[in-house]
Amino acid sequence: MPTPPTTSITHALDLADARHWTRKPPTRPAPRLRYLLTAQEPHILAARVFAYPEAIERWARGDSLDNLTPTHAQLIEREIYRSWQPLTRRRAHRQILDHDGCVTARLHARFTYTTPTGEFPDDRLRNITEDLPATHARRLFNARHAESDDDELSRILADAIGEAYFFRALPLDQQQAAVTISDLHLIQFHY
């Protein structure tokens, strides 16, 4: 089943990880929040879903769910995808990397190239589907486990796409440009 499109690398990884879950997460808001509150403090969760800690605790009890906006529900769902079955997620990543598994990235983005002579933005919106090199896939998974932000994940992904797509036909001594993602419109992973 293909994962829905997103512009967040973190969320795209979380959506791809959902294929490896051994159990489905809760689907209703109150059980979701009860699960999330077992893993996080109310004030931390509240900041992530843009709500007051008291509102989070009320919603977890099932009180005043009519005040739960669609935006809050979507953010709670994102948190579930981010934190559900972390051990299963790590085990799946380890198996993929240890058994020469393939991590495929599909992205719709603009790129900028940096060479010793300067920086060159490319105005073309490229649609790229590429298997990531194993070293970059490992770096991407390790950064995700360390809760790195999207900027760090974007740098790792840009390095991977640079090696796998832009410079694959060049000898190592001619790969002098650095690739950065300047405008990401869509990202999906499959593994």
Side-chain angles (χ1 to χ4, degrees):
M1 179 175 130
T3 57
T6 182
T7 58
S8 166
I9 297 171
T10 304
H11 191 54
L13 285 167
D14 292 341
L15 290 171
D17 287 340
R19 298 183 67 246
H20 301 279
W21 289 342
T22 56
R23 289 182 314 152
K24 297 285 185 199
T27 56
R28 295 181 39 229
R32 281 181 170 183
L33 284 167
R34 283 195 294 272
Y35 166 75
L36 290 171
L37 286 173
T38 62
Q40 305 176 45
E41 293 293 321
H43 66 279
I44 294 172
L45 180 59
R48 294 181 83 91
V49 298
F50 301 107
Y52 292 108
E54 298 80 21
I56 295 289
E57 290 170 341
R58 274 196 321 271
W59 294 338
R61 287 192 307 265
D63 299 342
S64 64
L65 283 174
D66 52 334
N67 294 341
L68 186 69
T69 66
T71 303
H72 286 125
Q74 184 179 13
L75 291 170
I76 291 167
E77 180 178 10
R78 238 182 196 200
E79 282 300 303
I80 285 289
Y81 272 87
R82 187 184 69 78
S83 62
W84 187 252
Q85 291 192 333
L87 297 178
T88 302
R89 177 185 314 241
R90 286 176 186 265
R91 184 172 50 247
H93 292 171
R94 190 171 51 251
Q95 288 174 346
I96 290 164
L97 295 172
D98 290 347
H99 296 40
D100 296 325
C102 182
V103 176
T104 303
R106 176 178 172 244
L107 61 152
H108 201 66
R110 287 187 175 87
F111 296 90
T112 300
Y113 311 100
T114 305
T115 65
T117 58
E119 191 171 272
F120 304 98
D122 186 0
D123 290 337
R124 291 179 288 180
L125 194 58
R126 294 179 183 258
N127 190 11
I128 298 173
T129 302
E130 196 64 48
D131 296 338
L132 303 183
T135 56
H136 295 290
R138 184 176 305 280
R139 285 179 53 212
L140 194 66
F141 286 153
N142 288 341
R144 180 65 191 99
H145 295 163
E147 298 285 332
S148 296
D149 61 357
D150 256 19
D151 291 337
E152 177 64 24
L153 295 174
S154 178
R155 281 190 288 278
I156 295 168
L157 182 62
D159 289 345
I161 294 296
E163 182 179 320
Y165 181 77
F166 293 110
F167 307 130
R168 67 177 160 212
L170 295 176
L172 287 175
D173 61 338
Q174 292 180 7
Q175 296 179 10
Q176 297 176 2
V179 177
T180 56
I181 298 172
S182 54
D183 185 20
L184 184 63
H185 285 243
L186 172 138
I187 179 74
Q188 291 176 310
F189 291 99
H190 182 77
Y191 42 85

